[in-house]
Amino acid sequence: MRDLSEQEKFWQGDFGNAYVDRNVGQPLVAANLALFAKALSRAGHIDSLVELGTNAGNNLQALHQLLPRCELFGVEINDSACAQARALNIAQIWHGSLFDFPRERHYDLTLSKGVLIHLAPELLPTAYAQLYELSQRYILIAEYYNPAPVEVPYRGNSGKLFKRDFAGEMLDRYADLQLLDYGFVYHRDPQFPADDVTWFLLEKRP
């Protein structure tokens, strides 16, 4: 049995539970719907997707509205978040760490939103491999961007939030990946604020 990282234990425990309680509600779903509508506008047909780190299912709710025929899957380590996501009855939710999620099939789209920033930097190559290997065609990364790796204090905790060029690192790592589109959502957006998230849509090219 693999030992969980410090960050995985952190999100599995009380802090992760409190995060679930803070981050629910239709305004979040609406903001996510606006973000995903832009981020996926240049993608082709998507019949299946998996979100690594789905939390309580806010993103999946938006994607279910945007892509009603798409088969949705989520991966979540926190018990409470997993239960809430499953209760939505819109996706198959796998309980556990994204690092342990089995590569038993491919999905048209793999997704990470606000998850890579919370992983230990030394584990990022494994997370990138999961996003890449599980994807049949598209990878969507929506995270905090910084041109160089930097750690940021997070609600009084250290070692829990990191910003960097996640998409750029994936493009450097996998030669068949190409940048299809990218964008930014400002926290002062008057209609759909989204916490200064930068998104990147990558595509596997033969």
Side-chain angles (χ1 to χ4, degrees):
M1 188 73 177
R2 181 180 65 86
D3 289 333
L4 295 180
S5 68
E6 174 190 336
Q7 288 77 12
E8 288 172 291
K9 293 176 183 175
F10 183 72
W11 287 100
Q12 195 178 47
D14 292 340
F15 189 92
N17 294 337
Y19 181 91
V20 173
D21 294 338
R22 286 197 310 271
N23 291 274
V24 292
Q26 286 307 305
L28 279 174
V29 176
N32 285 331
L33 186 57
L35 185 155
F36 290 130
K38 291 179 183 176
L40 297 176
S41 63
R42 294 186 60 187
H45 199 68
I46 298 174
D47 284 324
S48 64
L49 67 84
V50 61
E51 180 185 19
L52 302 184
T54 202
N55 203 256
N58 290 320
N59 298 325
L60 291 178
Q61 287 186 72
L63 289 161
H64 180 61
Q65 294 179 42
L66 187 66
L67 306 169
R69 294 184 179 87
C70 182
E71 192 178 12
L72 305 180
F73 296 82
V75 178
E76 177 53 44
I77 195 171
N78 182 276
D79 290 347
S80 177
C82 184
Q84 291 190 42
R86 283 176 173 166
L88 296 170
N89 291 317
I90 58 172
Q92 297 182 43
I93 309 298
W94 189 86
H95 184 211
S97 169
L98 66 89
F99 297 113
D100 301 320
F101 182 62
R103 300 174 188 170
E104 295 173 348
R105 61 168 287 182
H106 291 98
Y107 306 83
D108 293 331
L109 171 72
T110 57
L111 162 68
S112 162
K113 181 175 180 289
V115 172
L116 297 179
I117 55 172
H118 295 302
L119 300 181
E122 63 270 19
L123 293 178
L124 281 175
T126 306
Y128 294 156
Q130 285 288 74
L131 286 166
Y132 178 84
E133 296 295 342
L134 289 164
S135 171
Q136 188 162 274
R137 186 169 183 185
Y138 300 110
I139 300 169
L140 179 61
I141 295 172
E143 305 281 352
Y144 295 149
Y145 170 83
N146 204 64
V150 60
E151 181 184 340
V152 180
Y154 183 57
R155 291 183 172 265
N157 297 280
S158 61
K160 302 299 185 297
L161 196 154
F162 309 89
K163 299 196 294 186
R164 59 201 298 146
D165 184 3
F166 300 101
E169 291 179 5
M170 285 203 70
L171 289 167
D172 290 342
R173 185 172 290 268
Y174 300 104
D176 62 338
L177 281 185
Q178 294 193 24
L179 178 64
L180 193 58
D181 203 358
Y182 63 95
F184 175 75
V185 187
Y186 187 39
H187 73 277
R188 291 195 181 192
D189 186 291
Q191 297 297 335
F192 306 112
D195 201 25
D196 297 339
V197 168
T198 305
W199 57 263
F200 302 85
L201 181 63
L202 311 179
E203 182 181 13
K204 281 186 173 181
R205 297 284 178 87

